[in-house]
Amino acid sequence: MQTIQHWINGAYASPADSRHADVTNPATGKVSGRVALASAAVVNEAVAAAADAFPAWRDTSLARRVQILFNFRELLNARKGELAAIITSEHGKVLDDALGEVSRGQEVVEFACGIPHLLKGGYTENASTKVDVHSIRQPVGPVAIISPFNFPAMVPMWFFPVAIATGNTVVVKPSEKDPTAVNWVAELWKEAGLPDGVFNVVHGDKEAVDTLLEHPEIKSVSFVGSTPIAKYVYEKGTAAGKRVQALGGAKNHMIVLPDADLDLAADAAVSAGYGSAGERCMAISALVAVGGIADELVAKIAERTRTLRIGDGLRGTDMGPLVTKAHREKVAGYIEAGEASGATVVLDGRQVKADAEGDGFFLGPTLFDNVTPDMSVYTDEIFGPVLSVVRTETYDEALALINANPYGNGTAIFTNDGGAARRFENEVEVGMVGINVPIPVPMAYYSFGGWKNSLFGDSHAHGAEGVHFFTRGKVVTTRWLDPSHGGLNLGFPQNA
């Protein structure tokens, strides 16, 4: 059986760890490998490699850094099918979705290829008499990236291209549920010419995470995961003096106004609610039907959902399994709770018949109607293929639901009224807003991140905020004295 090892200083580490975890193919339920779980000593070894590599990488010219980034981009583009297949085999999402994940991550690589322009400082001549001032941005040092299971390639790529391009060295701790994708990326970096020690991978659980959060050589931490863990990472990391961007959970609402194109809205609700089996932090899980459109809209959603093929992601299906058996049972428990609390079960995913071999972790799309804000299917982030329809009479009621929610990651409104859309984008208290766009994930040159309990820290991922997160500003004031200068002046400079 394959043993998935750590990648440290440009090579796979020797199998010294005594603890391992099973890696499973969610479509078959079969164990496909074992992943080493790093001890503190192994994490320290990876951090030491990153720290040793940092001075030389920091001083590597921008031209050379960008050349390596372009090499990496070309290799990734040529071989992204390999990476997508790895993602499908360990996460379970269908192959087309996995290819989309890789492509969205590659956009950040391409953004980082323009880093020379983004690192330009400012210059002021004669800020004071014969005194010039200029600003520069410098890398922070070795950085840690702790990524989740739902996007094993894209989420790390939100961070490491910008971190590496700006001159930092990296230690990535991927999810132990689907660890192979980041190892594949590490090999690709080496092939692209990245010096050893600039990109390192450690696999593990809480012991590895805590070691990274406490290690004095780690200067910043980038995290994506559930809100309770994001808060823990933020508090523990900042207490250790580190910069932290910790992206947490979500409960994303989609408002449909009475004037909306209901066919478009139904297509969007199915795609955004059930894509990747709902295991997206940007998935739509609460649909708010305003006015008298709910009956028609629910019928259209149900009609479309019944056409979806559920099964192994390598068989051309529309939706794959959930990532683990335990997670599948957790989501099924929410369906039971929703039914018990009085929500109308329009479609029950527990009755799914999947196109797959073995005993995979399948749960079909579930649609609830007449959901109320006190039900757990509404209040909790389920992270599965469960879509809840809430009915309101007015736009104001719908907006109040969203703004009262403790999460603020993504939201959407479907309407043909430009005034209503403009009002919504102004009034809604959410970080990423879609207007007739159900999953408003921004392009790489903007930044990704939510408000409220969906983000701990001040900086969002990638874009200009990502560049600032992985660099520190420095301002230099310069005076070169000409030969005629002389004499003493004990007065305070007057900037004249």
Side-chain angles (χ1 to χ4, degrees):
M1 184 177 295
Q2 177 192 16
T3 298
I4 301 158
Q5 284 295 338
H6 319 290
W7 178 273
I8 299 174
N9 203 27
Y12 285 111
S14 58
D17 295 284
S18 58
R19 296 188 306 127
H20 294 81
D22 289 340
V23 177
T24 305
N25 183 332
T28 65
K30 295 179 180 178
V31 175
S32 58
R34 298 193 316 155
V35 60
L37 301 178
S39 63
V42 172
V43 176
N44 290 340
E45 182 183 347
V47 175
D52 290 345
F54 174 65
W57 183 244
R58 173 193 59 202
D59 293 334
T60 298
S61 70
L62 282 172
R64 176 60 180 152
R65 283 189 225 156
V66 169
Q67 182 183 29
I68 293 171
L69 278 159
F70 268 107
N71 291 345
F72 179 81
R73 188 266 175 198
E74 291 303 296
L75 290 168
L76 179 60
N77 193 51
R79 297 170 53 190
K80 58 186 177 184
E82 296 176 29
L83 183 55
I86 291 171
I87 294 168
T88 296
S89 68
E90 290 187 350
H91 173 271
K93 66 180 64 177
V94 300
L95 191 59
D96 283 348
D97 194 25
L99 282 166
E101 170 182 346
V102 177
S103 295
R104 292 309 302 265
Q106 184 172 309
E107 291 172 6
V108 184
V109 177
E110 293 164 353
F111 167 79
C113 287
I115 210 67
H117 173 71
L118 299 168
L119 287 180
K120 289 189 301 185
Y123 191 96
T124 301
E125 185 181 29
N126 278 329
S128 185
T129 303
K130 297 184 178 180
V131 175
D132 306 325
V133 179
H134 70 274
S135 63
I136 56 179
R137 299 204 68 84
Q138 295 182 319
V140 299
V143 302
I145 298 167
I146 303 169
S147 62
F149 72 82
N150 60 323
F151 287 99
M154 185 187 74
V155 167
M157 280 195 273
W158 282 353
F159 304 109
F160 68 66
V162 180
I164 289 172
T166 52
N168 302 279
T169 54
V170 173
V171 179
V172 182
K173 206 298 288 182
S175 170
E176 63 275 21
K177 295 180 177 67
D178 43 14
T180 303
V182 175
N183 278 18
W184 186 93
V185 167
E187 294 181 15
L188 206 70
W189 272 121
K190 188 175 182 71
E191 188 176 344
L194 191 70
D196 293 345
V198 176
F199 187 86
N200 306 275
V201 183
V202 292
H203 304 286
D205 50 15
K206 188 175 185 297
E207 181 177 351
V209 170
D210 285 344
T211 305
L212 289 170
L213 294 176
E214 296 167 352
H215 201 293
E217 292 282 3
I218 293 293
K219 304 305 179 185
S220 77
V221 177
S222 302
F223 172 87
V224 178
S226 69
T227 286
I229 306 302
K231 184 178 181 182
Y232 172 84
V233 167
Y234 178 75
E235 291 175 347
K236 196 172 183 69
T238 53
K242 307 182 190 312
R243 289 185 174 187
V244 179
Q245 48 182 176
L247 283 66
K251 193 69 180 182
N252 303 317
H253 294 65
M254 174 176 142
I255 293 179
V256 182
L257 296 186
D259 68 296
D261 182 324
L262 295 190
D263 288 314
L264 176 66
D267 289 343
V270 174
S271 299
Y274 303 129
S276 195
E279 293 174 326
R280 294 173 176 160
C281 67
M282 290 294 287
I284 293 297
S285 55
L287 188 151
V288 186
V290 179
I293 61 170
D295 288 345
E296 184 180 358
L297 181 58
V298 168
K300 288 178 179 291
I301 293 171
E303 178 186 8
R304 287 158 170 77
T305 303
R306 290 188 181 99
T307 68
L308 300 179
R309 290 182 55 231
I310 316 303
D312 191 322
L314 296 175
R315 297 189 175 192
T317 55
D318 299 303
M319 193 182 93
L322 295 175
V323 68
T324 63
K325 183 177 181 180
H327 187 55
R328 189 259 177 217
E329 297 308 313
K330 178 181 177 182
V331 176
Y334 274 108
I335 298 173
E336 294 168 10
E339 184 178 28
S341 63
T344 303
V345 183
V346 181
L347 296 173
D348 190 341
R350 293 170 294 181
Q351 303 168 359
V352 68
K353 293 182 179 179
D355 179 9
E357 296 179 2
D359 188 18
F361 313 133
F362 292 97
L363 192 66
T366 295
L367 178 62
F368 282 114
D369 193 8
N370 298 302
V371 172
T372 57
D374 59 315
M375 298 177 181
S376 63
V377 290
Y378 175 81
T379 59
D380 296 1
E381 182 184 32
I382 299 173
F383 224 62
V386 180
L387 180 61
S388 298
V389 177
V390 182
R391 300 178 179 224
T392 67
E393 291 298 322
T394 66
Y395 162 87
D396 288 327
E397 290 178 53
L399 178 71
L401 275 177
I402 299 175
N403 288 348
N405 197 275
Y407 298 108
N409 205 43
T411 190
I413 187 169
F414 277 70
T415 180
N416 286 316
D417 185 334
R422 189 176 187 278
R423 179 181 171 189
F424 180 72
E425 72 173 79
N426 177 60
E427 295 177 337
V428 73
E429 296 173 6
V430 173
M432 293 172 284
V433 181
I435 297 173
N436 298 320
V437 175
I439 304 180
V441 175
M443 298 297 290
Y445 40 85
Y446 286 88
S447 296
F448 179 102
W451 289 11
K452 299 186 281 191
N453 283 350
S454 294
L455 176 72
F456 297 87
D458 297 324
S459 294
H460 294 177
H462 58 70
E465 291 188 54
V467 175
H468 281 202
F469 181 78
F470 288 115
T471 58
R472 292 182 291 188
K474 184 181 286 184
V475 179
V476 181
T477 303
T478 305
R479 178 172 62 184
W480 295 104
L481 303 181
D482 62 50
S484 65
H485 176 79
L488 300 175
N489 183 349
L490 301 187
F492 196 84
Q494 298 180 32
N495 297 329

